[in-house]
Amino acid sequence: MDVCKLYENTSKCSVSSMECFRVLSTQAQKISITILCGLFGTLCVFENSLVLYLIFSSPSTRRKPSYLFISSLALADSLASIIFVCSFVNFHVFSETNFSKEIFLLQLGGVNTCFSASLSSLLLTALDRYISISRPSEYKVLMTRRRAWAALGGVWLTCATIASLPLLGWNCCTLNSTCSELFPFVDAKYLSSWICFIMVLLCSIVYAYAHVLWRAHQHVAYMEKHQEQVGKQNSRMRMDVMLAKTLVMVLMVLVLCWSPVLILMTYSVFARLSNHLRKVFAFCSTLCLLNSMVNPIIYALRSKELCSSLRTVFSQFRRQLKASEESPEAESTHKSSVIET
């Protein structure tokens, strides 16, 4: 049955109307979504958990505000992956029927909170890099750990408040207003407002990184011209420039992965979506997991401190593994010597 007709013949706020939003019709589509979500979600949680471990296991990294922002990004990506995979697969693949309006809006609010916090963490990281590059002598005074924790707390609280508005009453059931065609129970005006909020975050990140790249380019030119006079400050500038380039790579991946979803969301506000576009939106949503999975790989490849910590962890793991393999042999040799004696 056509999704549009099914939607028109059911109450837009009833639980039965949620069937209209399950657009995966064939078994092949459900299997594909399950594989993508399982693969991307598992790798994302593992990689981001590893990043969090590397940051907080090293005293030199967990004290730096820049790595606090990166750990916030890793935490947001991990939580978003867990909530998204569980709710998305249960809804579209297993067609879970125990969903109520409150449970669905709670899960949707969790995903929105984590994604918004991820973007906000990138914005804070961009501002941190800009201060570090443009005002290096005042960086430690301007960006302290207390201010970093306060900024992260404000960001997470703001994102959670905005994402929980549908659960608190801003939904089409409570207001008896127009519902979104992509999400059950979500008010169309709220979806428009949330898209605007995300667009403001993205534009702010792009603007901040444009200044970071501009300052980084100036530092590169300065280092080439005054390489002998700079000394120790030269190495710090190189580190800041490298970290700025790393975060720009993260931003590019973010925009490429989330652009299809945001474009379809924006299109749904102004026009009616066909069943084919709904399926495209479902598959494009898995790109969000891909973005969360790629971010830690970029950190590991570009950050020298995290690379060094990762090599240390691997070397310790190898030594423990080698010791565990050698201990039974040593024990058997000791026993045989005792028997011989």
Side-chain angles (χ1 to χ4, degrees), residues 21-24 29 33 36-37 84 88 92 182 261 264 275-288:
F21 298 89
R22 296 187 174 101
V23 295
L24 302 181
Q29 294 173 355
I33 284 290
L36 290 176
C37 289
F84 177 84
F88 192 81
H92 285 285
L182 291 175
V261 173
L264 288 174
N275 194 19
H276 176 70
L277 287 179
R278 291 167 184 254
K279 292 180 181 179
V280 172
F281 177 79
F283 278 93
C284 288
S285 299
T286 59
L287 292 176
C288 310

Side-chain angles (χ1 to χ4, degrees), residues 40-93:
F40 293 161
T42 303
L43 291 176
C44 176
V45 173
F46 172 75
E47 292 172 0
N48 284 286
S49 300
L50 181 60
V51 170
L52 289 173
Y53 173 77
L54 294 177
I55 290 176
F56 287 99
S57 63
S58 174
S60 62
T61 55
R62 67 169 176 258
R63 293 172 183 169
K64 296 182 179 180
S66 58
Y67 285 102
L68 289 179
F69 299 144
I70 292 176
S71 64
S72 175
L73 175 63
L75 177 62
D77 287 337
S78 298
L79 294 177
S81 300
I82 295 173
I83 301 173
F84 177 84
V85 170
C86 294
S87 59
F88 192 81
V89 173
N90 283 336
F91 184 82
H92 285 285
V93 178

Side-chain angles (χ1 to χ4, degrees), residues 145-155:
R145 293 182 73 248
R146 179 178 296 181
R147 290 182 179 179
W149 280 112
L152 288 175
V155 159

Side-chain angles (χ1 to χ4, degrees), residues 147-313:
R147 290 182 179 179
W149 280 112
L152 288 175
V155 159
W156 278 87
L157 181 61
T158 302
C159 294
T161 302
I162 294 175
S164 61
L165 289 178
L167 184 62
L168 297 177
W170 192 356
N171 56 73
C172 58
C173 303
T174 304
L175 301 177
N176 195 22
S177 56
T178 305
C179 292
S180 169
E181 294 187 39
L182 291 175
F183 306 100
F185 314 123
V186 175
D187 183 70
K189 291 183 179 179
Y190 169 80
L191 181 60
S192 303
S193 302
W194 188 82
I195 293 173
C196 292
F197 172 65
I198 296 301
M199 290 297 185
V200 168
L201 285 179
L202 284 173
C203 293
S204 300
I205 294 172
V206 172
Y207 180 79
Y209 275 117
H211 281 275
V212 169
L213 283 179
W214 178 62
R215 297 294 299 185
H217 176 72
Q218 287 185 329
H219 276 302
V220 170
Y222 180 82
M223 286 187 293
E224 292 177 352
K225 186 176 181 180
H226 304 280
Q227 189 171 4
E228 295 181 358
Q229 292 90 341
V230 174
K232 294 183 179 179
Q233 189 178 1
N234 194 3
S235 60
R236 181 178 178 179
M237 288 181 180
R238 291 182 187 276
M239 182 186 67
D240 290 337
V241 170
M242 186 174 182
L243 188 53
K245 292 180 179 179
T246 299
L247 298 173
V248 170
M249 291 174 60
V250 173
L251 177 63
M252 291 176 60
V253 173
L254 178 77
V255 172
L256 291 176
C257 290
W258 280 92
S259 292
V261 173
L262 292 176
I263 290 173
L264 288 174
M265 283 184 183
T266 306
Y267 181 76
S268 69
V269 174
F270 300 99
R272 196 173 187 86
L273 293 177
S274 63
N275 194 19
H276 176 70
L277 287 179
R278 291 167 184 254
K279 292 180 181 179
V280 172
F281 177 79
F283 278 93
C284 288
S285 299
T286 59
L287 292 176
C288 310
L289 292 176
L290 179 62
N291 167 70
S292 300
M293 184 189 71
V294 170
N295 284 344
I297 298 176
I298 298 177
Y299 303 147
L301 292 177
R302 302 286 297 181
S303 174
K304 290 184 178 180
E305 291 179 275
L306 291 184
C307 273
S308 177
S309 299
L310 185 60
R311 285 193 295 267
T312 302
V313 170

